Amino acid sequence: MKYNVSCMLSYTVHSRAEFVFSIQAAVLEVQQVLEEELILSPEGICMEAFEIPGRPERLVRIRVDQPCYFTIGYRALVDSRPRILQPPAPDTDRTVTQLSPAVLPYLFPSRYCQSDRLFRFVQMEFESAEGNYARVEAICDWIYKNVSYVSGSTNTHTSALETISERQGVCRDFAHLGIAFCRALSIPARYFTGFAYQLLPQDFHACFEAYIGGQWIVFDPTRMVPLEGLVKTGHGLDAADAAFANIFGDATPVSVQVDCTAMEDETPDPPAGGHLLSFS
Amino acid sequence: MKYNVSCMLSYTVHSRAEFVFSIQAAVLEVQQVLEEELILSPEGICMEAFEIPGRPERLVRIRVDQPCYFTIGYRALVDSRPRILQPPAPDTDRTVTQLSPAVLPYLFPSRYCQSDRLFRFVQMEFESAEGNYARVEAICDWIYKNVSYVSGSTNTHTSALETISERQGVCRDFAHLGIAFCRALSIPARYFTGFAYQLLPQDFHACFEAYIGGQWIVFDPTRMVPLEGLVKTGHGLDAADAAFANIFGDATPVSVQVDCTAMEDETPDPPAGGHLLSFS
Amino acid sequence: MKYNVSCMLSYTVHSRAEFVFSIQAAVLEVQQVLEEELILSPEGICMEAFEIPGRPERLVRIRVDQPCYFTIGYRALVDSRPRILQPPAPDTDRTVTQLSPAVLPYLFPSRYCQSDRLFRFVQMEFESAEGNYARVEAICDWIYKNVSYVSGSTNTHTSALETISERQGVCRDFAHLGIAFCRALSIPARYFTGFAYQLLPQDFHACFEAYIGGQWIVFDPTRMVPLEGLVKTGHGLDAADAAFANIFGDATPVSVQVDCTAMEDETPDPPAGGHLLSFS
Amino acid sequence: MKYNVSCMLSYTVHSRAEFVFSIQAAVLEVQQVLEEELILSPEGICMEAFEIPGRPERLVRIRVDQPCYFTIGYRALVDSRPRILQPPAPDTDRTVTQLSPAVLPYLFPSRYCQSDRLFRFVQMEFESAEGNYARVEAICDWIYKNVSYVSGSTNTHTSALETISERQGVCRDFAHLGIAFCRALSIPARYFTGFAYQLLPQDFHACFEAYIGGQWIVFDPTRMVPLEGLVKTGHGLDAADAAFANIFGDATPVSVQVDCTAMEDETPDPPAGGHLLSFS
């Protein structure tokens, strides 16, 4: 389905600063960017588009050398048609020695996903489910049931361990906890970022992908949006590795506006959680 | 110079387990592996050598399906001749927009290196040094002076934040703290693992590489060994991403023995910290 | 019932050190000390018995001025007859404004019991139980079911927040978690230390007391011993405030031996958890 | 000198809530309350004044049973004349076995002051100073130099360990860090709360008292106010134990206004840090 996605980020640059943005829709087999534009203000600021080898993000980096009110806007028409999968059977589960080498780094703990401290937790709560797909479903159920979505309850330092105790967070925290639980079960998992149709209020969204039966499958323990309505911007180990914006230098964020609308007469049919989807 | 390196790791496998080892000397422009062998016991266990795209480690993974006392031994003759560099001048420092995209992931906080919480610390302590090379030197001086090397004082959960308060650790903790400080200064840094000549007692060693003036330069805040005597096995975001052994399943480590000897009449001349070196 | 309790603690004093011990059975309305002795070695070391105003511990402090192998032994015959209570009805619950002022400090977070971070957790898990007694029962059930008793799995820095994630610990950790949950529900709770009949292997034991319906009631989420078989040494905010030994100076613990036996033909009848008891 | 102190705290009570306030000037040998009044709104709300045995705070507790906008105001005229001390000589330092038993609880780690993790830190940084007074001076110098006062940079969960890494905080964090360092050196220390003349902007203030040479001496590592201008409300283990307000139930703080003015023609002479003072 086709979505109009857009965002507008603004910053006060006090002296000078550099930015790395990951706000463009990724170009994937299942996701086409039909039109797009990036607009910077003030005029005259240069940007460089680039990619990191082996990763899907379409990044831009920008240097602002003078104090100013800096904005970057993005607008695109994207056709996103994630593949619909059947739930992987337990006998397709892969052990570590069967995994594609490229996915191994997604087994290890990362800044916000301290899976090394959760082995006993996942054994108690999730290991009895039969097969990795059922385990990740159980993980999402646990998070949905036990963690409250509370805007503003966490900050950029909040990690999965804190969310387990404090039982509240935003989409980012839900995703980090899902990833940490998966990795503690030796299931590769990565942070998924994108635009999300029907997200209220509109913002960048985060959920996660788990690698099951040879596929990266999308899971969203917030259950706030239809997965069919996601437009992927990128993925990474966690929010540290896949932020929509990284600021280096002396600048302060002022505002973030995000929007994602479906082209008329095309709306995702299934309710949240309806289909099993992959963007890879 | 040529080094004989070897290690022998042993495990009790209680039921079944998988292992990923990163114990082989890397093959680099500056490091040649002249001879080597890997020996597994008991006989009949299969291993698969593999690499992760974009990374230098020569990994092996092994599945042990029955309870046993499992050992893996490695022995190699390695010719390691890291490049000797001149200290990079401040005017060769690169800003984020000038960095090679491949090094950007080494700017972000990771499991054991929470650079996102250290911005003010590094401003106060290191930013006044002129240029990135002098800053990383100041970082190593600070760590050497303020953190005591105490065997057994930390564990696999210990991270840079704890080392700042507790002021003790082992090579791994020294490296994590160095990396965290560098990244907080927007200097890319990564965890370096290898064999180390003259390390007493012998063990796998860890230090770090910082990316300055377009080069990955080795720094070792423990100052325990001559950098000329390092034989690199790999690098990564931190010890979570670059462990010499990852165990998945039901096995317990029993012992680790490591050795690194120089071929006679060839010893590294300079004392610890004598030369500026790069393995890339 | 009458118990013979004893302990023998030994330390290597490297240069000089001071010790504060809380190893003597408390003298309480429900607990009589019939005989007791404290033995120090080497001879000639002086000790001072003292109490802290408002607290039940019978403390001793000792200064050792020379390097030596120092031991302190304690042996006592104690008649412990904790009061048997009926489960307090919900309508006897006291709100904060009805509590005795002396118990208020046991409502606040302490070193190992960060109740300030658990408000949402306890709301979700325990608040639906009717009345404070049922809530503390639910807390003990949760801990017993979700936390594994694993000797050596934690250390003196481990706090309740970590136990929630790591799901393992020893009696001290079980007690800290119970206390933290109670306080987050505005139920005063304190750390209880003592000897424990039928504890295997024998050691000092820790559990907790919650203040319900105007009584301090003992709870032990480990369910390892009959509560009737406890001999109280003291209580406090948590293990930081109620340690059996505090060392100041240059000494290393060598061993701890503890024993608690019932006088023959008198054994506590009820199984673990059988009666509701108070030592106050 | 005489000070007019006042505060006005307001809350939205959503359903019902209880409050414990510690906002009244303490009555001490060195501090007289000449006039005072407490005003609650809406009318008809009852309060109970009470004290906790062994503690100086004059507390009030209040139950609000209906949704309302609740305010509590306090106004007093206080004559505060803290004793001026001479710096204690090193030979008056007391070892643990020489301390008054009542001060021992102030040696142990507490919620926000994890002194158990700072033994090596204080050895490295402060132990070389001669005597406990010089050590606490060195502690305050270190904090003043290394931690930036940044309004809003921390929250109610922030503890001393975080302040060591993050190097920023408010008066509460400065006090917690000072206390943690003192306790790690076996110097009893407690959290001091009060009104502060010349504090800009006006608010409740926190600093700490260390027990040296048999006296509780006030130290303020923020160096923001003259110590002569303090009006003490209470003390405790840390901010968990000595909060100016504790809320139990369903209420949200709306605003805090604090004021402290000197009676005309009486102003504290010495600049911040001028005299050594005790309120005990």
Side-chain angles (χ1 to χ4, degrees), chain C residues 203-269:
Chain C
D203 202 342
F204 290 112
H205 193 52
C207 54
F208 73 94
E209 296 174 301
Y211 192 73
I212 308 173
Q215 311 266 10
W216 282 108
I217 303 175
V218 183
F219 293 89
D220 184 354
T222 69
R223 296 187 187 165
M224 291 173 75
V225 294
L227 298 179
E228 265 82 359
L230 292 170
V231 170
K232 183 172 185 171
T233 52
H235 61 239
L237 296 172
D238 58 21
D241 187 47
F244 67 85
N246 282 289
I247 310 175
F248 303 89
D250 192 15
T252 311
V254 176
S255 68
V256 174
Q257 283 170 275
V258 180
D259 199 33
C260 178
T261 56
M263 297 288 282
E264 46 179 334
D265 70 28
E266 285 200 88
T267 52
D269 280 344

Side-chain angles (χ1 to χ4, degrees), chain A residues 40-207:
Chain A
L40 306 184
S41 164
E43 284 185 22
I45 287 177
C46 294
M47 73 175 186
E48 177 200 5
F50 72 105
E51 293 182 11
I52 293 175
R55 296 190 51 163
E57 293 82 25
R58 295 164 62 222
L59 303 156
V60 290
R61 54 187 179 181
I62 291 159
R63 178 173 187 152
V64 180
D65 278 322
Q66 288 175 345
C68 65
Y69 179 74
F70 165 66
T71 64
I72 179 168
Y74 175 66
R75 197 194 59 70
L77 175 62
V78 182
D79 192 1
S80 164
R81 303 186 179 272
R83 280 185 299 124
I84 298 177
L85 306 177
Q86 293 308 309
D91 62 10
T92 67
D93 283 350
R94 303 187 176 194
T95 68
V96 171
T97 43
Q98 294 167 332
L99 288 172
S100 159
V103 311
L104 284 181
Y106 295 104
L107 278 177
F108 303 134
S110 62
R111 170 66 182 94
Y112 299 113
C113 307
Q114 303 98 329
S115 47
D116 53 302
R117 308 201 80 156
L118 297 173
F119 293 128
R120 194 168 288 269
F121 193 111
V122 299
Q123 270 179 7
M124 285 189 177
E125 298 283 351
F126 310 121
E127 211 168 62
S128 65
E130 197 193 354
N132 285 343
Y133 175 68
R135 286 176 190 142
V136 183
E137 286 274 64
I139 285 169
C140 291
D141 287 348
W142 190 96
I143 296 172
Y144 180 74
K145 181 170 159 243
N146 288 289
V147 183
S148 301
Y149 191 100
V150 180
S151 294
S153 60
T154 55
N155 61 35
T156 58
H157 301 315
T158 307
S159 69
L161 289 188
E162 287 161 287
T163 305
I164 287 179
S165 295
E166 304 211 358
R167 299 283 185 98
Q168 60 186 345
V170 297
C171 60
R172 159 195 166 105
D173 305 298
F174 281 62
H176 285 156
L177 189 49
I179 293 166
F181 283 150
C182 286
R183 292 181 189 164
L185 285 167
S186 299
I187 302 171
R190 66 191 188 193
Y191 191 76
F192 175 108
T193 58
F195 296 90
Y197 178 57
Q198 293 183 340
L199 181 63
L200 285 176
Q202 270 291 321
D203 202 342
F204 289 112
H205 193 53
C207 54

Side-chain angles (χ1 to χ4, degrees), chain B:
Chain B
M1 319 203 183
K2 290 178 190 156
Y3 299 94
N4 281 305
V5 299
S6 64
C7 64
M8 171 69 73
L9 315 180
S10 62
Y11 300 86
T12 300
V13 176
H14 304 292
S15 53
R16 54 197 288 174
E18 295 175 289
F19 298 87
V20 175
F21 292 107
S22 173
I23 56 178
Q24 291 177 267
V27 174
L28 306 168
E29 222 170 285
V30 302
Q31 187 173 282
Q32 280 183 278
V33 178
L34 305 176
E35 302 169 21
E36 69 177 346
E37 63 180 331
L38 274 168
I39 301 168
L40 306 184
S41 165
E43 284 185 21
I45 288 176
C46 294
M47 73 175 186
E48 177 199 5
F50 71 106
E51 293 182 12
I52 293 175
R55 296 191 49 164
E57 293 82 26
R58 296 164 61 222
L59 303 157
V60 290
R61 55 187 178 181
I62 291 160
R63 177 173 188 153
V64 180
D65 279 321
Q66 287 174 346
C68 65
Y69 179 74
F70 165 66
T71 65
I72 179 168
Y74 175 65
R75 198 194 59 70
L77 175 61
V78 182
D79 192 2
S80 164
R81 303 185 179 273
R83 281 184 299 124
I84 298 177
L85 308 176
Q86 294 307 309
D91 62 10
T92 67
D93 284 349
R94 302 187 176 194
T95 67
V96 171
T97 43
Q98 293 166 332
L99 288 172
S100 159
V103 311
L104 284 181
Y106 296 103
L107 278 177
F108 302 133
S110 62
R111 170 67 181 92
Y112 299 113
C113 307
Q114 304 98 328
S115 47
D116 53 302
R117 309 200 79 155
L118 297 173
F119 293 128
R120 194 168 288 269
F121 193 112
V122 299
Q123 271 179 7
M124 286 190 176
E125 297 284 349
F126 309 120
E127 211 167 63
S128 64
E130 196 194 354
N132 285 343
Y133 174 68
R135 285 176 190 141
V136 182
E137 286 274 63
I139 285 170
C140 292
D141 286 348
W142 190 96
I143 296 172
Y144 181 74
K145 182 173 158 241
N146 288 291
V147 183
S148 301
Y149 191 99
V150 181
S151 294
S153 61
T154 55
N155 61 35
T156 58
H157 301 315
T158 306
S159 69
L161 289 188
E162 287 161 286
T163 305
I164 288 178
S165 295
E166 305 211 358
R167 299 282 186 101
Q168 60 186 343
V170 296
C171 60
R172 158 195 166 106
D173 306 297
F174 282 62
H176 285 155
L177 189 49
I179 293 166
F181 284 149
C182 286
R183 292 181 190 163
L185 286 167
S186 299
I187 302 171
R190 66 191 187 194
Y191 191 76
F192 175 109
T193 59
F195 297 90
Y197 177 58
Q198 294 183 340
L199 181 63
L200 285 175
Q202 271 291 322
D203 202 342
F204 290 113
H205 193 52
C207 54
F208 73 94
E209 296 174 300
Y211 192 75
I212 308 172
Q215 310 266 10
W216 283 109
I217 303 176
V218 183
F219 294 88
D220 184 355
T222 70
R223 296 188 188 166
M224 291 173 75
V225 294
L227 298 179
E228 264 82 358
L230 292 170
V231 171
K232 182 172 186 172
T233 53
H235 61 239
L237 297 170
D238 58 20
D241 186 47
F244 67 85
N246 283 289
I247 310 175
F248 303 88
D250 191 16
T252 311
V254 176
S255 68
V256 173
Q257 283 170 276
V258 179
D259 200 33
C260 178
T261 56
M263 296 290 281
E264 49 181 330
D265 71 26
E266 286 200 87
T267 53
D269 281 341
H275 279 150
L276 213 59
L277 299 178
S278 176
F279 281 79
S280 295

Side-chain angles (χ1 to χ4, degrees), chain C residues 62-79:
Chain C
I62 291 160
R63 178 174 186 151
V64 180
D65 278 323
Q66 286 174 347
C68 66
Y69 179 74
F70 165 66
T71 65
I72 180 167
Y74 175 66
R75 198 195 58 71
L77 175 62
V78 182
D79 192 1

